[in-house]
Amino acid sequence: MNATSIPGTSGTPGTPGSTLTEPHPSPEAGTTPDGADSPRVDAIEPGTPAGVVPTLRGALTQSVAAVRALLVLTVLLGLAYPLAVTGFAQVATPGRADGALVERDGTVVGSRLIGQSFEGRDDYFQSRPSAAGDGYDPLASSASNLSPANPEFVATVRERIAAVAERDGVDPADVAPDAVLASGSGLDPHISPAYAEQQVARVARARDLEPAQVRRLVEENTAGRSLAFLGEPRVNVLELNLALDRLAPATGAGR
């Protein structure tokens, strides 16, 4: 029982100046003086520090909410969103959504979106260098990450210039930049029209064709700027080489 002092009294009850006390009922177990819920005294194990039960209850509530959020986001972002994007892509750009695969005689020979190497074949147009893994590895898309002033990079470029100039029979000063420089992704399927023109004489000689015939193929497989102002004109190497095979069978000529 709590007691409240009544001012103006002290001493023994019934005596002038005495202090009288008025009893108040104690709050019931399970409620605070203002009536709010609190853990029942008889429900708390003896010796439990004050505040532990509310803390555990709050942690459990937050854990349940976190699990619910995880499940909802997994369904939305892991299932619904990918399916929606894939469905839209199949309708809007079905070829590119499937990887823009290129087939010849029922066999997939590559993709219009990912370059590949034709190294060692003089009868094919060559792609630009690649720093993706061992070369055009889709699982290791990367640039060399070497600065233009890096001695290793400078030495590599000089070696490439000498090799390309000898292969294509041109002056080292006239070698196209993309003939010796890898792309940022290492997977670029295109070369510049200048690099394609540089290779015309070699490919024509290896295929026993007239340079004008090969040059016409290059022009037919040259794409302009996207939306007429984005990027630069480009030549898809795989599509050009397939067109070359249709014009004249590959000879297997190599260096």
Side-chain angles (χ1 to χ4, degrees):
M1 300 288 286
N2 295 330
T4 302
S5 298
I6 299 177
T9 58
S10 62
T12 306
T15 341
S18 64
T19 300
L20 298 179
T21 59
E22 179 182 352
H24 287 278
S26 297
E28 295 181 2
T31 61
T32 58
D34 59 1
D37 291 337
S38 67
R40 290 182 56 85
V41 175
D42 56 359
I44 302 176
E45 184 178 346
T48 302
V52 169
V53 173
T55 300
L56 292 176
R57 183 178 298 149
L60 180 60
T61 301
Q62 293 179 2
S63 298
V64 171
V67 171
R68 289 177 178 171
L70 175 62
L71 294 176
V72 170
L73 292 176
T74 298
V75 172
L76 289 178
L77 302 181
L79 295 175
Y81 177 73
L83 289 175
V85 172
T86 302
F88 175 78
Q90 289 290 348
V91 174
T93 56
R96 295 174 69 90
D98 291 331
L101 301 180
V102 178
E103 295 185 0
R104 181 173 60 182
D105 300 329
T107 302
V108 175
V109 295
S111 168
R112 294 183 181 87
L113 305 178
I114 298 178
Q116 55 182 283
S117 176
F118 296 91
E119 187 67 28
R121 296 290 301 270
D122 284 346
D123 56 342
Y124 278 125
F125 283 87
Q126 298 297 309
S127 304
R128 63 189 303 175
S130 170
D134 293 330
Y136 289 101
D137 184 353
L139 301 180
S141 176
S142 174
S144 66
N145 291 326
L146 298 177
S147 76
N150 184 286
E152 179 183 349
F153 176 78
V154 173
T156 298
V157 170
R158 286 176 176 171
E159 292 175 2
R160 290 173 179 168
I161 290 175
V164 170
E166 181 182 0
R167 182 188 67 200
D168 293 337
V170 297
D171 189 279
D174 296 331
V175 171
D178 53 325
V180 296
L181 299 176
S183 65
S185 67
L187 304 177
D188 191 352
H190 302 102
I191 58 175
S192 66
Y195 185 25
E197 173 62 29
Q198 175 184 304
Q199 303 182 65
V200 165
R202 168 177 54 79
V203 172
R205 185 168 55 252
R207 297 265 181 165
D208 196 21
L209 295 170
E210 292 295 327
Q213 294 176 282
V214 178
R215 189 170 290 110
R216 188 177 307 112
L217 281 183
V218 172
E219 293 174 354
E220 292 173 353
N221 287 274
T222 299
R225 292 179 171 88
S226 300
L227 301 178
F229 69 95
L230 295 176
E232 295 293 333
R234 59 202 181 278
V235 180
N236 189 291
V237 180
L238 175 59
E239 293 183 329
L240 176 59
N241 284 334
L242 290 176
L244 194 59
D245 283 344
R246 290 191 294 268
L247 179 65
T251 62
R255 289 183 288 112

